Amino acid sequence: MGVTKNMKKLGGKTDLTYLALTVPATVLFLIFWFVPLLMGLHYSLTDWNGLSSDFNYVGLQNYLSVFTQKRTRNALLFTGKYSLLLVIFVMVIAMLLTLGLTYVVSDKMSTFFRSMFFFPAVLSMITVSLTWNQIYLRVLPALGEMLGIDALSRSVLGSPKTAMWGVLFVNVWQGVAQPFVILLAGIQNVPQDQYEAARIDGANSWHLFTHITIPYMIPTINVAFVMVLKAGINVFDYIQGMTGGGPMQSTESAGIVIYQMAFFENKAGFASAFSVILLLIVAVISFAQQMVSKKYEVGQL
């Protein structure tokens, strides 16, 4: 009985210690995330210009204007298209790399390829975008003239028809790294005995992938999906460093419009409303994706 009482006392002190250790993180979370979120919601209901202490409440007018103004509608359409393409390319490439390193590449070479594929993730996005901007502007046109290839002799970023694809390529090149690592960790948790039992029953590689690999990887796929979706909807650094939203506003994402309206056009209230809408879009899509994917998890099929 005495030992049990001592363990309970020790357990109580330990719980208090753990609770105390969470206080700094909780305080930082409240100061740098929750409080700014509340302030953003407040200013989204005003006509605040970002500088003056005087402002008027306009209700939901800013939110309605996001969907009625042509510029913001185009920015939302561009962001939606860009995010969809980014999610498709990044998730497919990351899954192919994961399957290749797991089942095709030898263990000795696997470490080398993991390091090589993850290397772009350690670089800052603005550094990558500025570097690729020079590649598109100087290197590829010079190479195109040297080889006599007309398609390469012009900068991809100089045309409204191709600028988005130039930015998207760079985003995919760097953006594959982290989802790849997440999926690679997820596939290693798939029980090997499930594969062996399925092979005995005559299942082929496609059946193994769709009925065993994918269901067991649903939780990690969800994490990677939300990460890539958020990166696509909030895309800013690549566009700012490579095109600035041009040419002819053809690559103006929602993030670029929010930045320009808040800091250059003195429309901080409107920009706050636009930011809240983006937050809601990410939350709704992520929730819907979680609900749909749960049906395909292990034990739900």
Side-chain angles (χ1 to χ4, degrees), residues 94-127:
M95 180 60 75
L96 291 176
L97 291 176
T98 299
L99 295 174
L101 285 185
T102 303
Y103 300 114
V104 178
V105 179
S106 63
D107 293 337
K108 293 182 179 180
M109 296 298 296
S110 178
T111 302
F112 167 76
F113 282 112
R114 290 180 188 181
S115 302
M116 184 180 68
F117 292 142
F118 188 74
F119 171 73
V122 304
L123 304 174
S124 69
M125 288 184 287
I126 194 65
T127 300

Side-chain angles (χ1 to χ4, degrees), residues 151-221:
L152 289 178
S153 61
R154 297 182 298 273
S155 174
V156 174
L157 304 178
S159 171
K161 295 181 180 179
T162 59
M164 185 199 73
W165 295 101
V167 176
L168 181 65
F169 174 83
V170 178
N171 199 164
V172 171
W173 175 79
Q174 186 178 30
V176 165
Q178 291 184 346
F180 159 68
V181 172
I182 293 173
L183 295 181
L184 192 61
I187 202 172
Q188 293 173 355
N189 293 324
V190 180
Q192 294 301 312
D193 57 345
Q194 297 288 331
Y195 291 122
E196 296 173 2
R199 290 191 184 97
I200 293 175
D201 292 337
N204 56 32
S205 299
W206 177 249
H207 291 148
L208 295 178
F209 177 71
T210 55
H211 291 81
I212 297 178
T213 305
I214 292 297
Y216 273 99
M217 290 185 65
I218 286 296
T220 51
I221 290 175

